[in-house]
Amino acid sequence: MTRLLKIVLLGMLFQLSSCGVKKSLQQRPDITGIEAIDTNRVKHNDHFYTLGKNSLFQNDYGIWELYLEGDALERGVANGNLTRELIHHQEIAFMDKLEEMVPSESYRGFLKKIVSYFNRKMYLYVPEEYQQEIYGVSRYGLARYDDFAPGYIRMLYFHGAHDIGHALHDLMLVGCTSFAAWGDKTADGNLLVGRNFDFYAGDEFGSQKIVAFINPDSGHKFMMYTWGGMIGAVSGMNEKGLSVTINAGKSKIPFKAKDPITLVSREILQYASTIREAIEIAKKREVFVSESIMVSSGDENRAVLIEVSPKNFGVYEVPNSDELICSNHFQSDAYQDDRRNQKTIEESHSKYRYDRMKQLVEQDQKLDVPGAVAILRDMKGVDDEALGYGNEKAVNQLLAHHGIVFQPKDRKVWVSANPYQMGAFVAYDLKEVFKKFENGNVSQSLASAAETLPKSPFLETKEFQDYEYYRKLEQQVKIQLENEETISEETGEKLIALNPEFWEAYFLAGKIAYGQKNFSQALQYFEQARTKVVTTKPDLEQLDKMIRKTKRRL
């Protein structure tokens, strides 16, 4: 397989000059009139900036509140100008992560060519409006990364990076879980939606968050929870009470980028007022990964899953139920015979999280917002079995970029502050927020203090501190093992002491002991790991392989 991959990549390189790469690198959207756009950003202090009626304010929870209005170019320029430091932070975090993963400069040069080839057709699928908006943002990117790709092209690439993370699902960049409940399942009978966005690209990438309120010149006003430089939507709700969240499905590794899924969900937020309209928008777009888009309507008091992939399309509804659960496998009839989807159900942790989420939703027959937040923070397994901290079988894997809860009928939303979904859930009323922004610049937070929910008590415990230490030590150990470095057996003991219910702590301790040729101790650790809840079928196979291998050495 390695030889075949090399042949394919070499073949791709030979085609670089003749497959539209040069044209794609030179492509630009129509930017007529950009010179007339106001770029006079006013810095009032380190936490408050304005540009015309657009503004950026950091609240007491560390969340940046961004307001943008106007046409695509105006929004993009204002966005990039106001959030330039946040964009720089994200670009550095992303590129530093790339350098960590690919330390060789020559390999990064090779990767640059592959990325250019892969994204050579993306601009043909992204709507002109969003190309213009991305162009406006890109004017404020870091020039030092222009050697990887020019600013606009780089920003366009970044919007496809989320999709690549989904395509590389086996590397566990994502593992989101979401639910919707209504009717007899909620305290007031109205729709309630909750989700964890478990996209992880390093600690720095998730450290700064933006709740963006967008007032476009066409379409609907909407909010989304995002980060610097990202105009696509992963979690959001519009003024019509339509909310959108996305969950990865199992994908082939694609060889050509098309319309990034976050721009499809953004288009739904901006232009759909009903579930039917959302379905029509999703149906007309060509994507290059598989994704479940949960669309919920407060006015219709229901939710559906729009399941998209490069060669298939399905809609999953629950006409005789008051709940809808989504993890990372498809549920519509269109995918019942899909082998990749069946493999995901069998081998990954998607079905397990689905079962746990269903169990939690059904335990609380009258869900309200605090109940929804409690579900998103749950760290136990099915029937409350212990998983250890950071196990991807948990609804709360302690790595989420954010958790979010919507009350679509009331146009209210709660977004989590750091860390993960364990910080305070900060409340916003969209009707009030847009009313105040449209009346002029606002020099204070527009969060609803009375409805904001406090941070999790777990953050004050020794267990949380131990987990944070464990997580950093685990990353260090994995790098050392990959580099075949000698690691003290005390390090393995420390991993277990810090996270005693997590199977992987014992597995890593076993690998450390194995490297020290202490095979009897390694076998003991591996067999202890076998008594814990192992995350996936491939993990279990790897563990059993190490047990057999160790026994042969005794």
Side-chain angles (χ1 to χ4, degrees):
M1 288 300 293
T2 301
R3 184 182 177 196
L4 178 61
L5 180 60
K6 287 180 180 177
I7 293 171
V8 171
L9 292 178
L10 284 172
M12 288 167 61
L13 280 180
F14 282 122
Q15 296 179 61
L16 288 178
S17 61
S18 60
C19 289
V21 172
K22 185 176 180 181
K23 183 178 180 181
S24 72
L25 291 174
Q26 295 174 342
Q27 179 272 334
R28 298 293 182 272
D30 181 3
I31 57 170
T32 303
I34 196 169
E35 299 84 1
I37 295 175
D38 182 11
T39 58
N40 183 30
R41 181 179 84 158
V42 178
K43 179 178 179 180
H44 301 274
N45 55 54
D46 289 341
H47 305 281
F48 181 41
Y49 303 83
T50 57
L51 195 165
K53 291 185 69 176
N54 306 284
S55 62
L56 179 70
F57 183 90
Q58 188 178 35
N59 65 30
D60 292 340
Y61 298 95
I63 298 170
W64 291 92
E65 299 173 4
L66 174 67
Y67 174 70
L68 301 172
E69 64 178 31
D71 64 27
L73 276 175
E74 290 170 334
R75 296 193 306 267
V77 170
N79 187 349
N81 200 336
L82 287 169
T83 67
R84 66 182 76 162
E85 291 83 5
L86 302 181
I87 293 171
H88 297 169
H89 176 93
Q90 295 304 95
E91 283 204 273
I92 291 169
F94 194 88
M95 298 303 284
D96 282 355
K97 190 69 176 176
L98 179 63
E99 289 186 17
E100 177 188 318
M101 295 170 65
V102 189
S104 166
E105 188 173 346
S106 61
Y107 279 141
R108 287 200 302 274
F110 177 74
L111 178 64
K112 170 186 171 182
K113 293 178 181 179
I114 295 299
V115 169
S116 299
Y117 176 81
F118 176 79
N119 289 303
R120 69 198 182 280
K121 301 288 187 181
M122 185 188 289
Y123 72 95
L124 297 175
Y125 297 91
V126 175
E128 173 76 5
E129 177 183 3
Y130 297 146
Q131 290 188 45
Q132 291 176 338
E133 194 168 339
I134 291 169
Y135 183 88
V137 172
S138 73
R139 289 176 45 139
Y140 299 90
L142 284 169
R144 73 191 198 202
Y145 295 128
D146 284 353
D147 62 333
F148 185 83
Y152 163 67
I153 300 299
R154 192 170 68 250
M155 288 289 180
L156 201 60
Y157 288 176
F158 284 163
H159 282 77
H162 174 81
D163 301 62
I164 296 301
H166 282 193
L168 299 177
H169 187 186
D170 288 339
L171 299 182
M172 274 323 301
L173 294 174
V174 286
C176 309
T177 320
S178 57
F179 75 91
W182 60 92
D184 290 339
K185 292 291 183 186
T186 60
D188 59 6
N190 293 326
L191 180 67
L192 186 65
V193 181
R195 76 92 107 256
N196 286 334
F197 181 62
D198 292 314
F199 181 81
Y200 181 76
D203 291 348
E204 282 302 308
F205 185 85
S207 64
Q208 296 194 4
K209 300 174 173 58
I210 300 172
V211 55
F213 301 95
I214 316 295
N215 185 0
D217 67 329
S218 62
H220 310 302
K221 304 182 188 73
F222 62 95
M223 65 75 57
M224 58 186 186
Y225 209 21
T226 186
W227 52 86
M230 169 60 95
I231 73 152
V234 297
S235 306
M237 182 170 67
N238 67 23
E239 63 178 330
K240 299 296 183 180
L242 197 83
S243 72
V244 173
T245 63
I246 58 175
N247 285 36
K250 183 65 175 177
S251 298
K252 286 183 180 179
I253 295 178
F255 286 94
K256 183 175 72 173
K258 294 184 179 179
D259 200 352
I261 195 68
T262 62
L263 295 182
V264 177
S265 56
R266 159 68 188 271
E267 187 176 1
I268 290 172
L269 275 182
Q270 187 173 344
Y271 290 105
S273 58
T274 66
I275 289 174
R276 181 186 59 79
E277 290 174 359
I279 292 171
E280 290 304 313
I281 289 172
K283 192 176 290 185
K284 73 181 181 182
R285 293 299 174 196
E286 292 189 58
V287 299
F288 60 101
V289 294
S290 301
E291 198 88 16
S292 292
I293 307 173
M294 182 179 281
V295 179
S296 308
S297 169
D299 291 347
E300 297 172 65
N301 207 36
R302 67 188 182 102
V304 305
L305 296 177
I306 304 173
E307 299 178 337
V308 300
S309 65
K311 294 184 179 181
N312 206 349
F313 186 92
V315 177
Y316 180 66
E317 301 185 61
V318 283
N320 299 315
S321 178
D322 293 338
E323 65 183 48
L324 179 64
I325 311 295
C326 182
S327 51
N328 298 109
H329 60 272
F330 290 149
Q331 301 175 60
S332 67
D333 290 341
Y335 293 90
Q336 290 307 304
D337 297 325
D338 186 286
R339 286 182 295 174
R340 188 168 286 104
N341 189 50
Q342 291 171 347
K343 186 177 181 181
T344 299
I345 294 170
E346 179 186 351
E347 295 189 356
S348 78
H349 42 72
S350 179
K351 180 62 164 58
Y352 188 96
R353 281 184 289 107
Y354 176 94
D355 291 341
R356 178 56 177 172
M357 179 67 86
K358 189 173 181 65
Q359 198 173 63
L360 291 169
V361 169
E362 291 178 352
Q363 279 177 0
D364 192 338
Q365 292 298 312
K366 296 294 181 182
L367 271 173
D368 56 10
V369 174
V373 169
I375 288 175
L376 298 182
R377 289 174 172 171
D378 182 74
M379 291 176 282
K380 295 180 180 179
V382 172
D383 297 331
D384 293 337
E385 68 179 340
L387 300 177
Y389 298 120
N391 193 325
E392 289 140 353
K393 278 192 167 179
V395 170
N396 173 12
Q397 303 170 23
L398 288 171
L399 59 68
H401 181 274
H402 65 260
I404 191 164
V405 174
F406 300 102
Q407 274 189 331
K409 184 176 179 60
D410 296 328
R411 280 47 166 180
K412 292 182 178 180
V413 59
W414 286 256
V415 299
S416 69
N418 282 326
Y420 322 120
Q421 64 276 62
M422 304 299 277
F425 269 71
V426 184
Y428 296 92
D429 182 326
L430 262 62
K431 291 176 289 188
E432 292 299 317
V433 166
F434 280 112
K435 184 188 301 181
K436 290 179 180 178
F437 275 130
E438 288 174 319
N439 286 335
N441 289 133
V442 177
S443 59
Q444 60 185 8
S445 173
L446 290 185
S448 174
E451 294 186 281
T452 293
L453 302 176
K455 67 181 181 181
S456 169
F458 178 70
L459 296 180
E460 304 299 328
T461 65
K462 181 178 182 298
E463 286 80 4
F464 176 71
Q465 299 303 319
D466 284 349
Y467 170 71
E468 289 290 273
Y469 182 11
Y470 169 85
R471 195 166 57 86
K472 292 178 174 59
L473 184 59
E474 174 198 55
Q475 293 171 357
Q476 175 188 319
V477 166
K478 286 180 176 179
I479 292 171
Q480 290 175 312
L481 287 170
E482 186 176 340
N483 294 333
E484 298 183 350
E485 298 177 20
T486 300
I487 311 171
S488 71
E489 291 193 50
E490 288 76 13
T491 300
E493 295 170 3
K494 187 67 174 176
L495 285 169
I496 292 170
L498 291 169
N499 204 352
E501 294 298 329
F502 191 25
W503 76 273
E504 196 170 27
Y506 296 89
F507 180 69
L508 292 174
K511 294 193 76 171
I512 291 170
Y514 188 94
Q516 295 277 26
K517 301 188 185 309
N518 187 350
F519 301 118
S520 60
Q521 183 63 69
L523 181 60
Q524 182 179 334
Y525 285 143
F526 290 142
E527 289 182 337
Q528 284 179 291
R530 197 65 169 77
T531 68
K532 305 298 180 181
V533 181
V534 182
T535 307
T536 66
K537 184 177 178 180
D539 288 334
L540 189 57
E541 290 171 350
Q542 186 182 17
L543 174 56
D544 286 342
K545 180 180 177 180
M546 287 305 302
I547 289 174
R548 292 192 301 270
K549 184 178 177 181
T550 306
K551 284 181 177 179
R552 288 196 295 268
R553 300 300 297 267
L554 290 173

